[in-house]
PDB file of all heavy atoms in Angstrom:
ATOM      1  N   VAL Y  84      35.240 220.672  18.178  1.00  0.00           N
ATOM      2  CA  VAL Y  84      35.640 220.889  19.574  1.00  0.00           C
ATOM      3  C   VAL Y  84      36.604 222.075  19.591  1.00  0.00           C
ATOM      4  O   VAL Y  84      37.629 222.056  18.903  1.00  0.00           O
ATOM      5  CB  VAL Y  84      36.319 219.631  20.157  1.00  0.00           C
ATOM      6  CG1 VAL Y  84      36.816 219.879  21.583  1.00  0.00           C
ATOM      7  CG2 VAL Y  84      35.344 218.455  20.142  1.00  0.00           C
ATOM      8  N   PRO Y  85      36.270 223.127  20.354  1.00  0.00           N
ATOM      9  CA  PRO Y  85      37.105 224.334  20.309  1.00  0.00           C
ATOM     10  C   PRO Y  85      38.445 224.121  20.998  1.00  0.00           C
ATOM     11  O   PRO Y  85      38.554 223.342  21.949  1.00  0.00           O
ATOM     12  CB  PRO Y  85      36.267 225.355  21.093  1.00  0.00           C
ATOM     13  CG  PRO Y  85      35.439 224.531  22.016  1.00  0.00           C
ATOM     14  CD  PRO Y  85      35.162 223.241  21.315  1.00  0.00           C
ATOM     15  N   ASP Y  86      39.441 224.812  20.495  1.00  0.00           N
ATOM     16  CA  ASP Y  86      40.788 224.734  21.071  1.00  0.00           C
ATOM     17  C   ASP Y  86      40.963 225.938  22.000  1.00  0.00           C
ATOM     18  O   ASP Y  86      41.386 227.009  21.577  1.00  0.00           O
ATOM     19  CB  ASP Y  86      41.804 224.746  19.909  1.00  0.00           C
ATOM     20  CG  ASP Y  86      43.218 224.495  20.422  1.00  0.00           C
ATOM     21  OD1 ASP Y  86      43.362 224.127  21.608  1.00  0.00           O
ATOM     22  OD2 ASP Y  86      44.169 224.675  19.635  1.00  0.00           O
ATOM     23  N   ILE Y  87      40.584 225.763  23.273  1.00  0.00           N
ATOM     24  CA  ILE Y  87      40.633 226.871  24.236  1.00  0.00           C
ATOM     25  C   ILE Y  87      41.913 226.739  25.069  1.00  0.00           C
ATOM     26  O   ILE Y  87      42.104 225.724  25.742  1.00  0.00           O
ATOM     27  CB  ILE Y  87      39.372 226.862  25.144  1.00  0.00           C
ATOM     28  CG1 ILE Y  87      38.116 226.985  24.278  1.00  0.00           C
ATOM     29  CG2 ILE Y  87      39.436 227.968  26.188  1.00  0.00           C
ATOM     30  CD1 ILE Y  87      36.798 226.895  25.019  1.00  0.00           C
ATOM     31  N   PRO Y  88      42.805 227.725  25.004  1.00  0.00           N
ATOM     32  CA  PRO Y  88      44.113 227.568  25.657  1.00  0.00           C
ATOM     33  C   PRO Y  88      44.056 227.510  27.188  1.00  0.00           C
ATOM     34  O   PRO Y  88      44.898 226.880  27.807  1.00  0.00           O
ATOM     35  CB  PRO Y  88      44.915 228.792  25.183  1.00  0.00           C
ATOM     36  CG  PRO Y  88      43.927 229.733  24.594  1.00  0.00           C
ATOM     37  CD  PRO Y  88      42.690 228.981  24.262  1.00  0.00           C
ATOM     38  N   ASP Y  89      43.053 228.139  27.807  1.00  0.00           N
ATOM     39  CA  ASP Y  89      42.954 228.154  29.271  1.00  0.00           C
ATOM     40  C   ASP Y  89      42.588 226.748  29.777  1.00  0.00           C
ATOM     41  O   ASP Y  89      41.480 226.262  29.512  1.00  0.00           O
ATOM     42  CB  ASP Y  89      41.869 229.172  29.669  1.00  0.00           C
ATOM     43  CG  ASP Y  89      41.692 229.244  31.177  1.00  0.00           C
ATOM     44  OD1 ASP Y  89      42.308 228.435  31.898  1.00  0.00           O
ATOM     45  OD2 ASP Y  89      40.921 230.114  31.629  1.00  0.00           O
ATOM     46  N   PRO Y  90      43.497 226.074  30.507  1.00  0.00           N
ATOM     47  CA  PRO Y  90      43.205 224.695  30.935  1.00  0.00           C
ATOM     48  C   PRO Y  90      41.956 224.572  31.814  1.00  0.00           C
ATOM     49  O   PRO Y  90      41.322 223.527  31.860  1.00  0.00           O
ATOM     50  CB  PRO Y  90      44.468 224.270  31.705  1.00  0.00           C
ATOM     51  CG  PRO Y  90      45.321 225.471  31.852  1.00  0.00           C
ATOM     52  CD  PRO Y  90      44.808 226.554  30.945  1.00  0.00           C
ATOM     53  N   LYS Y  91      41.576 225.677  32.499  1.00  0.00           N
ATOM     54  CA  LYS Y  91      40.379 225.606  33.346  1.00  0.00           C
ATOM     55  C   LYS Y  91      39.094 225.612  32.510  1.00  0.00           C
ATOM     56  O   LYS Y  91      38.017 225.294  33.006  1.00  0.00           O
ATOM     57  CB  LYS Y  91      40.344 226.799  34.300  1.00  0.00           C
ATOM     58  CG  LYS Y  91      41.376 226.680  35.410  1.00  0.00           C
ATOM     59  CD  LYS Y  91      41.127 227.730  36.471  1.00  0.00           C
ATOM     60  CE  LYS Y  91      42.249 227.714  37.471  1.00  0.00           C
ATOM     61  NZ  LYS Y  91      42.641 229.057  37.892  1.00  0.00           N
ATOM     62  N   ARG Y  92      39.216 226.051  31.255  1.00  0.00           N
ATOM     63  CA  ARG Y  92      38.021 226.160  30.416  1.00  0.00           C
ATOM     64  C   ARG Y  92      38.093 225.247  29.189  1.00  0.00           C
ATOM     65  O   ARG Y  92      37.224 225.306  28.315  1.00  0.00           O
ATOM     66  CB  ARG Y  92      37.868 227.605  29.927  1.00  0.00           C
ATOM     67  CG  ARG Y  92      37.504 228.529  31.059  1.00  0.00           C
ATOM     68  CD  ARG Y  92      37.551 229.970  30.648  1.00  0.00           C
ATOM     69  NE  ARG Y  92      37.007 230.782  31.717  1.00  0.00           N
ATOM     70  CZ  ARG Y  92      35.834 231.395  31.654  1.00  0.00           C
ATOM     71  NH1 ARG Y  92      35.106 231.337  30.578  1.00  0.00           N
ATOM     72  NH2 ARG Y  92      35.392 232.092  32.672  1.00  0.00           N
ATOM     73  N   GLU Y  93      39.138 224.427  29.130  1.00  0.00           N
ATOM     74  CA  GLU Y  93      39.333 223.634  27.907  1.00  0.00           C
ATOM     75  C   GLU Y  93      38.211 222.615  27.727  1.00  0.00           C
ATOM     76  O   GLU Y  93      37.605 222.153  28.696  1.00  0.00           O
ATOM     77  CB  GLU Y  93      40.697 222.931  27.920  1.00  0.00           C
ATOM     78  CG  GLU Y  93      40.769 221.783  28.875  1.00  0.00           C
ATOM     79  CD  GLU Y  93      42.083 221.027  28.806  1.00  0.00           C
ATOM     80  OE1 GLU Y  93      42.777 221.081  27.790  1.00  0.00           O
ATOM     81  OE2 GLU Y  93      42.383 220.356  29.809  1.00  0.00           O
ATOM     82  N   ILE Y  94      37.964 222.281  26.463  1.00  0.00           N
ATOM     83  CA  ILE Y  94      36.973 221.269  26.099  1.00  0.00           C
ATOM     84  C   ILE Y  94      37.747 220.095  25.529  1.00  0.00           C
ATOM     85  O   ILE Y  94      38.581 220.276  24.645  1.00  0.00           O
ATOM     86  CB  ILE Y  94      35.989 221.806  25.022  1.00  0.00           C
ATOM     87  CG1 ILE Y  94      35.371 223.150  25.457  1.00  0.00           C
ATOM     88  CG2 ILE Y  94      34.930 220.777  24.682  1.00  0.00           C
ATOM     89  CD1 ILE Y  94      34.396 223.078  26.594  1.00  0.00           C
ATOM     90  N   LYS Y  95      37.473 218.896  26.050  1.00  0.00           N
ATOM     91  CA  LYS Y  95      38.225 217.725  25.558  1.00  0.00           C
ATOM     92  C   LYS Y  95      37.299 216.518  25.415  1.00  0.00           C
ATOM     93  O   LYS Y  95      36.514 216.241  26.311  1.00  0.00           O
ATOM     94  CB  LYS Y  95      39.394 217.418  26.480  1.00  0.00           C
ATOM     95  CG  LYS Y  95      39.039 217.286  27.951  1.00  0.00           C
ATOM     96  CD  LYS Y  95      40.291 217.196  28.792  1.00  0.00           C
ATOM     97  CE  LYS Y  95      40.061 217.230  30.280  1.00  0.00           C
ATOM     98  NZ  LYS Y  95      39.072 216.390  30.877  1.00  0.00           N
ATOM     99  N   TRP Y  96      37.404 215.882  24.267  1.00  0.00           N
ATOM    100  CA  TRP Y  96      36.657 214.639  24.048  1.00  0.00           C
ATOM    101  C   TRP Y  96      37.617 213.457  24.184  1.00  0.00           C
ATOM    102  O   TRP Y  96      37.242 212.411  24.659  1.00  0.00           O
ATOM    103  CB  TRP Y  96      35.997 214.630  22.664  1.00  0.00           C
ATOM    104  CG  TRP Y  96      34.801 215.546  22.557  1.00  0.00           C
ATOM    105  CD1 TRP Y  96      34.583 216.704  23.258  1.00  0.00           C
ATOM    106  CD2 TRP Y  96      33.662 215.370  21.719  1.00  0.00           C
ATOM    107  NE1 TRP Y  96      33.380 217.255  22.890  1.00  0.00           N
ATOM    108  CE2 TRP Y  96      32.806 216.467  21.949  1.00  0.00           C
ATOM    109  CE3 TRP Y  96      33.297 214.417  20.782  1.00  0.00           C
ATOM    110  CZ2 TRP Y  96      31.584 216.614  21.272  1.00  0.00           C
ATOM    111  CZ3 TRP Y  96      32.087 214.563  20.109  1.00  0.00           C
ATOM    112  CH2 TRP Y  96      31.241 215.648  20.347  1.00  0.00           C
TER     113      TRP Y  96
END
Side-chain angles (χ1 to χ4, degrees):
V84 177
D86 187 10
I87 301 176
D89 180 354
K91 287 191 187 140
R92 291 171 172 252
E93 73 176 337
I94 308 290
K95 52 189 173 48
W96 287 29

